[in-house]
Amino acid sequence: MQAVVAAAAMLVVLIAGYSFLPRTPGSGGPIVLPSPSPTPRPIPTGSMAAGRYVVTDPKLTLVPYTFTAPAGWTGGDGALRGDMDGTGVRLTTWIITHVYTNSCHWTGTLVPVTDRAALVAALTAQVGHTHSTPVETMIGGLPATKITFSLDNAFDVAKCDSGIVRLWPDPGPDESGGWPIHPGHTTTVFVIEAKGKVMVLMTVQHKDSPAADVAALQQILASVEFQP
């Protein structure tokens, strides 16, 4: 009888010990591994499939950045949906070296900007359109100053120089290009400083832009990450 009890006790010990042994793959159920982060793809110049993209062109941005876009958007210098002459929406970046003091009568009004504070001061002093009060924030992991510009839908651009309302020219300055704003549009900029220069990440939408496109634009903006 004692031999039977001893054998039973030994069996219990063996079973208990086995339950604490590390399990190997294929035993005790599936092992769940974390999903790898998708590798961002270089941004195309045409239509984009849904996914994460990276913008690295030094002519477009001082710091490479990534964002996630749904299907049906167009790449190039950011993310675009629809016609920007109408109700389209857009996310893009711009390196800025000069700003106009008057966005309507802009001829001969350029002032240089070399840092974030100077650019914010120049943009908030700019006349010819409506702008918000600057707000300090973070965007994509970097400190930024947020300012929103708008132009009333009934604004008559014909009274402005060359029939254009311009906030700034291309870097240089190169006045053959630059950033205009159109009646009914709202442009929100995030002023960023990097590598001793300044740039903006910005979104654009029209007062009549489809609600679904505006929502998708905000999701793209929220997904932006600037790279080290």
Side-chain angles (χ1 to χ4, degrees), residues 86-89 185 204-214:
T87 60
V89 297
H185 276 104
V204 188
Q205 65 187 67
H206 190 273
K207 71 178 189 66
D208 295 324
S209 296
D213 291 349
V214 173

Side-chain angles (χ1 to χ4, degrees), residues 15-22:
I15 293 174
Y18 174 79
S19 67
F20 287 101
L21 290 176

Side-chain angles (χ1 to χ4, degrees), residues 34-179:
S35 299
S37 299
T39 301
R41 290 170 281 183
I43 192 166
T45 55
S47 61
M48 297 188 293
R52 192 150 187 86
Y53 293 89
V54 60
V55 179
T56 59
D57 189 342
K59 294 179 181 178
L60 300 176
T61 180
L62 298 172
V63 185
Y65 69 98
T66 61
F67 64 85
T68 300
W73 286 65
T74 301
D77 60 359
L80 168 68
R81 174 81 171 174
D83 181 3
M84 291 311 301
D85 288 332
T87 60
V89 297
R90 183 180 184 185
L91 177 141
T92 189
T93 51
W94 209 287
I95 298 171
I96 301 177
T97 60
H98 294 74
V99 170
Y100 296 106
T101 60
N102 189 319
S103 63
C104 181
H105 303 293
W106 43 266
T107 303
T109 69
L110 280 177
V111 294
V113 291
T114 57
D115 56 33
R116 183 172 148 204
L119 178 53
V120 170
L123 291 176
T124 52
Q126 196 176 50
V127 297
H129 56 276
T130 301
H131 62 76
S132 68
T133 300
V135 176
E136 297 305 310
T137 186
M138 297 286 292
I139 188 72
L142 294 180
T145 305
K146 178 182 177 181
I147 312 174
T148 297
F149 305 93
S150 59
L151 202 58
D152 188 87
N153 198 49
F155 187 90
D156 182 12
V157 296
K159 67 183 182 182
C160 299
D161 295 347
S162 302
I164 302 172
V165 179
R166 305 178 76 184
L167 300 183
W168 56 76
D170 281 345
D174 178 1
E175 294 192 87
S176 65
W179 187 257

Side-chain angles (χ1 to χ4, degrees), residues 203 205 213-223:
T203 61
Q205 65 187 67
D213 291 349
V214 173
L217 177 65
Q218 293 306 308
Q219 290 178 341
I220 293 173
L221 176 63
S223 75

